[in-house]
Amino acid sequence: HLAQAGANVRMIDCDVIDVATSVRFPHGYRDAGRLKVTTLHRRLVENWPTTQPEPHPMRVGAPRMSEGVPAQHELLNRLLADADLIFDATGNHAVGLFLSDCAARTGVPFVNVTTTFGCWGGRVMALRPRDGACFDCVYLHLDDRNNEHTPPEQRLIPPEAPNGVIRPVGCGDATYSGTSFDAVPVVALGVRAAVSLLCDGEDGAYPPMRWNVATLWNRTYEGDPVAGRSHEFVLDRHEDCTECARRSG
């Protein structure tokens, strides 16, 4: 979606395409066993060559495994040095925390996209540096609102399937159930937020988003399908956020 919108993309991922999870990936059985960034790079070059896509097969946070190989933080600093935005779709909290810190240090916007178990819903963060809540703030606000006294539409955790984690036979890593058609609206909302942030201040461009966190429901908390419900929030810095206190000096 970002490439179709005309953005130059640098893709960082270490994963390979798996038949078991191909229901949520644009490439299917033919590319099983191949690196995701390699297959995506091929598709982008063939269809949108002006985007200048760059594939970088690496695991964020992995240790250096051999001599003569640059440390990962050196590689990431090189890749992110002139980036205009960081887009995180890993669904990994630790990676999101790390990349949000990278965005804060380089002074660029950060977009984080996650889906819940079963793809019953999802959450998008569109965070601007030094403006409103940071990644840590969002999770502090999440803890404040995640209780029975908060109306469902005001919670920052969208609906999710109970017992939604599964482990395919022969796989050492757990995954979750969920379809591509339920995941796509969440991803599309993240892309809209990214394009909006990249176009910020440009006349006649995509308009600005008036929120920094949004949740999207594909189902209710009881599991009933709905025609897509979005809830937008404008979150300020949390009073207990140590990261914001550290960055402000």
Side-chain angles (χ1 to χ4, degrees), residues 148-164:
E148 66 275 10
H149 303 296
T150 304
E153 64 275 6
Q154 290 298 316
R155 298 175 189 170
L156 298 177
I157 300 179
E160 64 181 5
N163 304 317

Side-chain angles (χ1 to χ4, degrees), residues 183-204:
V184 163
V186 183
V187 175
L189 181 59
V191 174
R192 290 174 60 202
V195 172
S196 177
L197 289 167
L198 290 170
C199 293
D200 192 23
E202 296 291 333
D203 292 336

Side-chain angles (χ1 to χ4, degrees), residues 118-122 159 181-183 185-186 216-220 224-229:
C119 289
W120 283 19
F181 55 78
D182 277 332
V186 183
L216 187 69
W217 295 14
N218 293 319
R219 300 196 192 190
T220 65
D224 298 322
V226 294
R229 296 178 185 173

Side-chain angles (χ1 to χ4, degrees), residues 32-202:
R34 296 174 180 169
L35 286 167
K36 290 180 177 179
V37 291
T38 302
T39 57
L40 285 173
H41 177 258
R42 184 187 69 235
R43 182 183 181 189
L44 296 183
V45 168
E46 291 174 350
N47 294 280
W48 300 281
T50 59
T51 61
Q52 302 175 11
E54 297 179 17
H56 298 277
M58 58 186 290
R59 180 188 292 273
V60 176
R64 180 162 43 184
M65 301 300 292
S66 60
E67 296 181 2
V69 177
Q72 192 184 91
H73 72 272
E74 296 175 0
L75 293 173
L76 285 173
N77 286 339
R78 191 184 311 159
L79 292 174
L80 302 178
D82 59 346
D84 297 311
L85 179 141
I86 298 176
F87 192 104
D88 171 36
T90 62
N92 184 295
H93 178 78
V95 173
L97 183 62
F98 172 72
L99 292 178
S100 69
D101 186 66
C102 291
R105 285 190 288 105
T106 55
V108 299
F110 175 69
V111 174
N112 173 270
V113 176
T114 59
T115 56
T116 60
F117 296 147
C119 289
W120 283 19
R123 181 176 57 244
V124 174
M125 303 183 198
L127 309 179
R128 297 174 175 85
R130 298 175 294 278
D131 182 16
C134 73
F135 190 84
D136 295 69
C137 290
V138 173
Y139 277 88
L140 289 169
H141 284 294
L142 185 150
D143 290 338
D144 292 342
R145 299 181 183 214
N146 187 27
N147 58 69
E148 66 275 10
H149 303 296
T150 304
E153 64 275 6
Q154 290 298 316
R155 298 175 189 170
L156 298 177
I157 300 179
E160 64 181 5
N163 304 317
V165 178
I166 60 175
R167 189 183 301 276
V169 176
C171 182
D173 297 319
T175 184
Y176 66 97
S177 60
T179 63
S180 62
F181 55 78
D182 277 332
V184 163
V186 183
V187 175
L189 181 59
V191 174
R192 290 174 60 202
V195 172
S196 177
L197 289 167
L198 290 170
C199 293
D200 192 23
E202 296 291 333

